[in-house]
Amino acid sequence: MNLKTKYIFFVSVFTAIIIILSLPFLNTQPVIFVLIELMVLLSIVFSIVLYRSLVKPVILISGGIDSIKEKDFNSKLLKVGQKDMDQLIEVYNRMIEQLREERILHQEQNLFLEKLIEASPSGIIILNHDSTIISLNPSAEKILNVLSSTVVFKSIKEVSGPFFETIKRMDDNSSETVKTSGTEILRLQKSHFIDKGCKHSFILIEELTEEIRKTEKESYEKIIRMMSHEINNSIGAVNSILNSFINFGSHLKSGDKIDFENAIQVAIDRNNKLNKFMGNFADVVRIPPPAKTECNLGKLISDVIALMSPICNQNNIVMEYKSEKNIGTVYLDIQQIEQVLLNIIKNSVESIGTGGIIFISVQLNDYFEISIQDNGKGINEETKNNLFTPFYSTKTNGQGIGLTLIREVLNNHGYDFSLTTNENGLTEFKIRGIR
């Protein structure tokens, strides 16, 4: 029973009792009866005034409390004309206005934060206090190549993948650098925030590939230009002197002349090989921007297969080519992409050695995708961590030029690419680009 009901019940019962007690005076002492009835009327009037001055404001305050419970901060109380109660109502209204403003500010900040997270170029993963994934922003979906619907509301321990395996090992306020099977380098940073008294972790994923690649490229270009300049100048001068020495062979005895000329020629040949060695490095630096033209992708791949068939036949390697009947055309630099495909297949041949198979397939929709797989020895963990590192090679006499050239050409074209050894044991080089 609320206060209003109690008050009305009390006034009604009290008035009824007075009226009942006054009934005996009706016949014996009518004057007293009339006086009692007048007192009853005055008490009713007083009760109404008291209700308006005391009970009604309390009921208003109770209604305000109910509004707060229901988080309705738009309703305010009207003043009742009493100084004390009006002061209380004014304090209540100021409190409600402040709560309403803080609520609006909180909502605006949350909306701004949501928009900021959604538009951020960095990937952001937000975890609950129990390491359940709450949300991924679009950048995180793109970087991790997953859909939010497949991982949201799952524990981080239930999600598999190289990135998530790294996240599982991370502690708060720590960071890790992860390299993908292509050339992407990502920095994962784990931190936390407090929301409603609960600790929530979040993972910030930053793309470092372009920044590192640019710095890397500037460094090796400068070194190669300097080395090439010095070596070319030295080799030219030394070869000139050696060629001059050959003329002195006529002054030697016939037996000594042959040995002398052979020694000089060996030195000249070695210098030429050194010059060619440096030229290979310089070629990577001098790769021009792609001159894209319309190209029949099917014909390009068929030409590459025709060029590589002899070396595959010599090593008893079978090439299988699968594609749609009419692949269509794409825009690319034909010479550069042809060289890339030749280098990839050449690497497959060297990985296989003898007696193996190379699978080549093409898909073409709004984008094109070229896949080259081989059953060679595959990629070990050390090689995986150094893939596409400039001039890194696993070959005894390798210069690491091939993959470096491939990386530069494909990056200049804006294509995505990766090199991995799949669970089925096949090593796959995949190129994907917009038509």
Side-chain angles (χ1 to χ4, degrees), residues 96-139:
I96 285 292
E97 179 64 22
Q98 185 174 355
L99 289 173
R100 187 181 69 83
E101 291 177 354
E102 289 180 355
R103 183 181 185 181
I104 292 173
L105 179 62
H106 181 68
Q107 289 175 339
E108 289 176 346
Q109 287 176 339
N110 280 348
L111 182 61
F112 172 74
L113 183 60
E114 288 175 5
K115 295 294 183 183
L116 187 63
I117 291 174
E118 186 177 349
S120 173
S122 299
I124 300 174
I125 303 174
I126 300 177
L127 308 177
N128 209 339
H129 61 89
D130 58 355
S131 296
T132 300
I133 299 174
I134 299 175
S135 66
L136 285 79
N137 71 340
S139 295

Side-chain angles (χ1 to χ4, degrees), residues 155-395:
S155 172
I156 195 73
K157 297 177 181 179
E158 299 174 4
V159 185
S160 59
F163 294 103
F164 292 102
E165 293 301 323
T166 302
I167 292 172
K168 293 173 191 176
R169 300 193 303 267
M170 295 176 65
D171 298 321
D172 265 351
N173 301 316
S174 63
S175 62
E176 294 275 352
T177 300
V178 179
K179 188 172 183 181
T180 68
S181 55
T183 60
E184 292 180 340
I185 301 173
L186 305 174
R187 181 169 62 197
L188 309 181
Q189 186 170 351
K190 186 176 183 180
S191 190
H192 70 273
F193 63 95
I194 304 297
D195 181 34
K196 298 178 181 178
C198 295
K199 179 181 175 182
H200 298 265
S201 298
F202 68 92
I203 313 297
L204 184 65
I205 309 172
E206 294 181 276
E207 174 69 68
L208 302 179
T209 307
E210 189 58 32
E211 180 181 345
I212 292 177
R213 192 176 74 86
K214 184 178 179 181
T215 303
E216 202 175 61
K217 187 175 181 181
E218 289 175 351
S219 299
Y220 73 67
E221 281 183 353
K222 184 176 180 180
I223 293 172
I224 288 173
R225 286 195 179 98
M226 181 183 68
M227 291 173 61
S228 182
H229 176 75
E230 294 298 326
I231 290 176
N232 286 339
N233 288 345
S234 299
I235 287 175
V238 171
N239 277 352
S240 178
I241 295 171
L242 291 175
N243 283 319
S244 299
F245 282 167
I246 292 178
N247 296 329
F248 289 98
S250 58
H251 300 288
L252 300 175
K253 296 178 181 179
S254 58
D256 296 331
K257 178 181 177 181
I258 296 174
D259 293 337
F260 176 78
E261 289 178 349
N262 286 340
I264 295 296
Q265 190 60 47
V266 168
I268 291 173
D269 291 343
R270 182 55 193 158
N271 280 345
N272 290 334
K273 289 179 181 178
L274 180 59
N275 194 27
K276 185 178 180 181
F277 179 85
M278 276 309 305
N280 290 335
F281 286 106
D283 287 341
V284 176
V285 177
R286 292 194 295 261
I287 295 175
K292 295 184 179 182
T293 57
E294 189 176 29
C295 169
N296 185 308
L297 191 56
K299 184 178 184 306
L300 174 62
I301 294 177
S302 296
D303 291 344
V304 170
I305 291 174
L307 288 170
M308 294 303 298
S309 290
I311 189 172
C312 287
N313 294 335
Q314 290 174 11
N315 292 277
N316 196 26
I317 295 173
V318 178
M319 279 195 292
E320 288 190 3
Y321 176 37
K322 180 181 178 181
S323 69
E324 300 172 1
K325 291 182 179 180
N326 185 16
I327 296 180
T329 59
V330 296
Y331 282 86
L332 46 75
D333 188 310
I334 297 174
Q335 289 185 334
Q336 290 186 2
I337 297 301
E338 182 182 64
Q339 187 61 51
V340 164
L341 297 175
L342 288 172
N343 282 355
I344 294 171
I345 295 176
K346 179 174 175 290
N347 287 341
S348 293
V349 171
E350 292 174 350
S351 175
I352 293 171
T354 57
I357 188 167
I358 297 174
F359 301 97
I360 303 172
S361 64
V362 179
Q363 294 181 359
L364 196 66
N365 295 302
D366 294 334
Y367 58 87
F368 71 87
E369 185 173 282
I370 302 172
S371 171
I372 300 174
Q373 302 181 67
D374 66 71
N375 62 344
K377 58 185 179 182
I379 301 170
N380 58 36
E381 196 63 30
E382 179 186 354
T383 304
K384 179 181 177 181
N385 294 331
N386 289 284
L387 279 177
F388 300 101
T389 299
F391 314 117
Y392 171 82
S393 177
T394 57
K395 303 169 189 174

Side-chain angles (χ1 to χ4, degrees), residues 56-67 77 85 88-89 92:
K56 189 175 180 180
V58 172
I59 293 173
L60 287 174
I61 295 296
S62 298
I65 293 172
D66 291 336
S67 296
L77 302 180
M85 291 305 301
L88 180 60
I89 289 171
Y92 172 86

